[in-house]
Amino acid sequence: MSLAAGALPSPVPSPHPHPPHAPAMAHLHTESPAAEDPSSSPHAAPLIDRCNALLEEIRTLQEFAKEEFQTIELRTFRGNVQSELRFLKNIGSTPTTISDAAEDDQTQHFLRSSNLRYFELVWAAAKASPGLVSLLTQIPETGLCPFIKQDKPVKTVQIEIVAEDGLHWVKLSAISPKRLMYELAKAGWEGSAEDSDEEEGEAGEADWNRTVVSAIPLVQHADLLAGAAQCTWVRYKHPRITYLFHNVNRETCGRPIELIFKRIEETGAVVQCADDPDMLLTSQPPTIQDTMDRIKSRDTFSNFSEKLNIDCTILLALASEISCRTVDPSSRRFNRAILSQLNTETSRPLLTSTLFPALINHELYCTKTARQRFVEIILEIGTADEKTRAEAILGVRIGGGTGENDTPIPQNELNGIFQELCIHPVPAELRLPIRVYDEECFDGPKAWLPYVKRVADKLSLINQSVFLTGWELKHTTVTSNMVTGKVIESEWTSILDGLRRDGTLEKLLEDGESTLGPDLYVVEMARSLVGKGPKGKLEENETISIESVGAAVEEL
């Protein structure tokens, strides 16, 4: 799992021109606030109730995601639904001087133009989508690439759902068969909706109609979206695209519309219609509780390798007093970075929320260079307890920086030693010690050697050791070094784009080289050592000394 190539931009609201027809959501309220409002139209009351129910589910998922430390971008979608609610409430409360019958017709016209059913449909599909990332996202034609600065405006197309941690884009269309035929006629289609065989008629007519199909906005958007997906890398893969046409039955749609769908499929996208048994949208979408249960039970670490490559930043986090004890921020003069870590640790303990779940049931390794740097930092600034934890992590009594005078600790004692110095339960499945690889690699995978050098040249010696060794061995590297992770991802995806353009990438894949890039799991929270210091307040020069060492650790 790599950095998400694709930290998503803030989605931009885009009103849907054709409100779909979807089954109403189950109400979350037993009473109808709209029905109690004498100024509200009786026709609008059921829609207001449904809109309130939808907003309640959105709020529920947002609060749940925050509690589970999940990032799901729902703000734009929620804002659009709130705007829809205001629109519905205003329908029955606007003063009018026209007759009751005319007013009723006008109200019903406004209600028919409501986007509520479209929002309900998007929400139903979102609840059925694993690894939900965002709703109503604007995708630029240059793709979702956080490493490329846009110097000029680019075309965008809206997709309703980004799921599977960014690897699945879902475009929902409420367009009807009638509207599709209108778009074809507007573009110059020759023939009727009942044409049944592509070979019928003149060959020139068939070629012309294929050109017409490519000219309609829906297909143009499909081409743009396919191009954007090819410019977007998520874990060294391109997102797949699914189109949902819930108002069209493919079996009976007719040849002209079938040609549209085939043209979209030529871009690599999957087309699902209302009569598709694999349709993401079903008559009974998951409840919000079903969705939350699925998110909670999802195994975030399922793609990890059996053996994990542990970076020096994670070794420090495991040994840190901040991770393992309750540290009083007023007990010492801590720098701002450590104070921030102390504050974060209170609300989200690193070991129990992230590291222990990620590391258990795996064989743990580190490179010789990473181990050596870890021991140097421990001996230089670590407290006595931090040093003892480091010894439990490595499985030796540290006799010096070289390791020549280290003495082994029985393996069956290591978890117990760690537990004595940790307020959190240490799982028995944590397989200490963290062993050292027999060899480390500073070149990267041999199949990619000519290209990996460009990445290696941008890394420090210790980062070459850690990240290129993990890459060569195809082991997941666990790190909190976000800066280096972004450098590797940016440089390597740029290289992959170049290889794809000149056809070299396909040749490498045909030769059996399937691992496109280093498998990184980047922990977003770093932990520093508390460091040595006198009881009470540190002297100013001692604070500077520890901060300077901390800066060196940041460069790992």
Side-chain angles (χ1 to χ4, degrees):
M1 181 185 302
S2 75
L3 286 168
L8 294 171
S10 297
V12 179
S14 178
H16 200 282
H18 307 294
H21 300 280
M25 295 176 57
H27 288 187
L28 301 182
H29 304 285
T30 56
E31 297 181 359
S32 170
E36 297 172 359
D37 183 357
S39 65
S40 178
S41 163
H43 300 293
L47 273 69
I48 291 173
D49 286 343
R50 285 163 48 195
C51 202
N52 277 319
L54 176 55
L55 280 171
E56 182 64 25
E57 287 201 356
I58 297 169
R59 281 191 289 265
T60 299
L61 186 58
Q62 283 182 310
E63 292 169 3
F64 173 79
K66 185 176 180 180
E67 292 171 0
E68 293 294 317
F69 307 105
Q70 301 278 336
T71 302
I72 304 177
E73 178 52 66
L74 299 175
R75 290 174 298 177
T76 295
F77 183 69
R78 178 177 174 176
N80 282 352
V81 177
Q82 287 172 329
S83 297
E84 191 68 22
L85 179 61
R86 288 192 293 270
F87 164 74
L88 293 172
K89 286 182 175 179
N90 286 337
I91 287 178
S93 58
T94 304
T96 180
T97 57
I98 60 178
S99 67
D100 290 344
E103 179 184 355
D104 188 65
D105 288 343
Q106 184 184 59
T107 298
Q108 298 232 31
H109 170 73
F110 284 145
L111 293 178
R112 281 193 297 271
S113 67
S114 168
N115 279 324
L116 176 59
R117 289 175 179 173
Y118 163 70
F119 294 136
E120 288 176 327
L121 197 69
V122 172
W123 187 242
K127 289 191 294 182
S129 302
L132 185 62
V133 175
S134 66
L135 300 182
L136 304 188
T137 303
Q138 295 292 327
I139 305 291
E141 62 181 338
T142 51
L144 293 178
C145 185
F147 312 118
I148 297 178
K149 183 178 179 181
Q150 301 295 346
D151 296 324
K152 58 182 181 180
V154 295
K155 294 179 182 178
T156 63
V157 60
Q158 176 177 276
I159 56 174
E160 277 62 30
I161 298 168
V162 177
E164 294 182 17
D165 302 318
L167 277 171
H168 190 194
W169 295 354
V170 179
K171 176 64 185 169
L172 188 151
S173 177
I175 198 165
S176 66
K178 183 177 179 181
R179 179 71 187 185
L180 283 170
M181 287 306 303
Y182 171 79
E183 295 286 352
L184 284 171
K186 184 178 176 182
W189 175 268
E190 295 178 355
S192 67
E194 286 73 32
D195 290 344
S196 59
D197 195 334
E198 193 169 345
E199 275 67 42
E200 287 184 6
E202 297 293 333
E205 178 185 324
D207 290 340
W208 167 253
N209 283 339
R210 279 191 288 270
T211 302
V212 167
V213 167
S214 297
I216 67 173
L218 181 65
V219 174
Q220 290 177 339
H221 285 177
D223 288 338
L224 187 151
L225 198 56
Q230 287 300 306
C231 295
T232 301
W233 293 94
V234 180
R235 301 196 297 277
Y236 310 106
K237 298 177 183 177
H238 298 303
R240 61 187 179 90
I241 303 169
T242 299
Y243 278 80
L244 304 181
F245 294 95
H246 76 103
N247 278 334
V248 182
N249 288 323
R250 193 161 187 174
E251 192 69 30
T252 58
C253 66
R255 185 175 73 89
I257 295 176
E258 176 63 23
L259 288 178
I260 295 175
F261 292 158
K262 286 184 176 179
R263 176 63 176 76
I264 292 174
E265 288 172 336
E266 287 176 5
T267 68
V270 172
V271 172
Q272 292 184 352
C273 294
D275 54 350
D276 190 328
D278 297 323
M279 177 69 152
L280 183 63
L281 289 165
T282 63
S283 58
Q284 293 184 328
T287 66
I288 190 63
Q289 187 60 52
D290 291 338
T291 302
M292 293 189 297
D293 289 343
R294 187 183 67 243
I295 292 174
K296 195 160 189 173
S297 63
R298 188 164 178 251
D299 185 1
T300 313
F301 316 111
S302 58
N303 341 338
F304 276 20
S305 57
E306 183 179 343
K307 296 178 180 179
L308 301 182
N309 176 32
I310 309 302
D311 182 25
C312 186
T313 56
I314 300 301
L315 295 174
L316 290 169
L318 289 169
S320 171
E321 193 80 356
I322 299 173
S323 306
C324 298
R325 290 271 178 79
T326 301
V327 179
D328 183 359
S330 64
S331 62
R332 298 251 306 271
R333 185 185 298 167
F334 295 115
N335 62 48
R336 281 177 296 179
I338 289 183
L339 288 174
S340 175
Q341 291 176 20
L342 291 172
N343 183 56
T344 304
E345 182 67 22
T346 302
S347 59
R348 186 183 180 185
L350 178 62
L351 294 183
T352 55
S353 69
T354 305
L355 284 190
F356 284 164
L359 302 183
I360 59 173
N361 296 316
H362 289 276
E363 294 182 41
L364 308 177
Y365 287 83
C366 66
T367 66
K368 180 180 178 181
T369 304
R371 181 195 186 280
Q372 183 176 339
R373 184 62 181 133
F374 172 54
V375 171
E376 288 172 357
I377 295 171
I378 287 288
L379 293 178
E380 187 170 355
I381 67 168
T383 65
D385 284 351
E386 286 173 333
K387 182 185 177 208
T388 303
R389 285 191 209 98
E391 292 175 334
I393 290 167
L394 299 177
V396 296
R397 297 294 180 191
I398 298 173
T402 63
E404 294 178 358
N405 299 319
D406 294 348
T407 56
I409 303 172
Q411 184 174 355
N412 60 359
E413 297 179 10
L414 299 179
N415 285 44
I417 294 172
F418 196 95
Q419 181 64 82
E420 289 176 3
L421 299 174
C422 184
I423 61 173
H424 306 294
V426 177
E429 297 83 3
L430 182 65
R431 299 179 185 176
L432 297 178
I434 296 177
R435 297 173 171 83
V436 179
Y437 288 118
D438 293 334
E439 296 181 4
E440 52 190 333
C441 174
F442 293 89
D443 299 320
K446 294 178 176 55
W448 302 97
L449 279 183
Y451 318 108
V452 174
K453 189 177 186 306
R454 279 176 50 185
V455 178
D457 288 346
K458 294 183 177 293
L459 304 179
S460 65
L461 185 66
I462 184 173
N463 287 330
Q464 287 178 3
S465 162
V466 171
F467 293 97
L468 298 185
T469 296
W471 193 354
E472 164 68 15
L473 298 175
K474 299 183 180 180
H475 291 176
T476 303
T477 297
V478 184
T479 179
S480 61
N481 193 334
M482 296 185 69
V483 173
T484 299
K486 289 180 180 179
V487 167
I488 293 172
E489 180 119 6
S490 174
E491 189 65 28
W492 187 241
T493 52
S494 173
I495 292 169
L496 290 177
D497 280 332
L499 295 175
R500 177 170 54 85
R501 284 192 295 269
D502 64 21
T504 308
L505 182 60
E506 287 72 15
K507 179 65 171 62
L508 284 167
L509 295 179
E510 287 173 3
D511 291 342
E513 184 54 48
S514 59
T515 303
L516 290 181
D519 184 15
L520 309 182
Y521 179 72
V522 180
V523 179
E524 296 181 358
M525 301 178 291
R527 291 292 181 267
S528 306
L529 300 182
V530 165
K532 300 173 185 176
K535 295 179 181 179
K537 304 296 182 181
L538 285 174
E539 297 299 328
E540 187 65 28
N541 62 337
E542 290 173 321
T543 303
I544 294 172
S545 173
I546 290 178
E547 286 182 339
S548 65
V549 175
V553 174
E554 289 289 330
E555 296 176 0
L556 290 174

